[in-house]
Amino acid sequence: SDDVVALRKEKACLLRAFARAIVGDDPFIQPPPDRIDEALEKYEQARDIFCEFDKGSVELGKIYNNLGLCFGIKGDFDSAQNAFDAAEVIYKEKGILHHPPNMTRLYNLGCMLVKRGDVEVAAAKLSEAWDIAHAFNNSMTTVIEDAQKRLHTA
């Protein structure tokens, strides 16, 4: 029924919020490994729920972005890239590649690429993220600029 679907989606959103509280939003801060694993488990549960009911939702794209962030923090760059790619597919289908949800994905992807040492591609992704942030007058411009400074030390 619709009520069951709504409750399951609400549970998925709560799982995502719980995981975000564990990991935070800074790709350069490394929580303890057991906490990252706990967050990954919560994000995967949230992903599985949304895949049951709403495979193409922006919320699912955000969950994939968060999975990418966690895998990147953990150093599992292949899994991170796969998650970021899954988010991009959803955002492209929704026509929001030039909107804030994709800005966040590009930022997280760029930071992961910095950590991986792929400075040239990281610079391009962070530049794309900054352009979106600037277009929406988003406060992320400062955060992105800080990440861009890390390119010079990578």
Side-chain angles (χ1 to χ4, degrees):
S1 80
D2 289 344
D3 290 340
V4 171
V5 171
L7 285 173
R8 297 276 292 152
K9 286 182 178 180
E10 186 174 324
K11 178 181 179 180
C13 290
L14 290 172
L15 286 165
R16 178 175 176 251
F18 182 76
R20 258 186 102 186
I22 293 170
V23 175
D25 292 323
D26 189 335
F28 295 108
I29 294 178
Q30 179 90 23
D34 61 320
R35 298 296 285 169
I36 295 171
D37 290 339
E38 184 180 2
L40 278 169
E41 181 181 317
K42 302 297 182 204
Y43 283 133
E44 288 169 343
Q45 290 172 358
R47 178 204 56 209
D48 293 347
I49 291 170
F50 268 92
C51 283
E52 279 179 53
F53 302 109
D54 203 357
K55 283 189 178 178
S57 71
V58 173
E59 187 64 29
L60 180 58
K62 291 177 181 180
I63 291 167
Y64 278 121
N65 174 53
N66 294 133
L67 281 165
L69 172 66
C70 280
F71 284 125
I73 289 171
K74 194 172 178 171
D76 183 351
F77 299 129
D78 290 339
S79 295
Q81 185 68 58
N82 290 338
F84 289 132
D85 290 348
E88 181 181 23
V89 167
I90 291 170
Y91 296 160
K92 185 175 184 177
E93 288 173 358
K94 292 291 184 186
I96 60 168
L97 285 178
H98 302 288
H99 289 80
N102 196 46
M103 169 200 66
T104 305
R105 181 192 71 85
L106 289 165
Y107 168 73
N108 289 336
L109 174 58
C111 292
M112 182 208 60
L113 292 166
V114 169
K115 286 176 66 175
R116 192 170 73 185
D118 196 346
V119 176
E120 190 173 311
V121 178
K125 298 302 178 188
L126 291 170
S127 179
E128 285 181 67
W130 190 91
D131 289 345
I132 295 168
H134 184 70
F136 281 85
N137 198 22
N138 190 299
S139 62
M140 278 288 292
T141 52
T142 304
V143 174
I144 295 166
E145 288 166 0
D146 289 342
Q148 288 171 319
K149 290 175 188 171
R150 290 178 185 259
L151 292 170
H152 304 293
T153 61

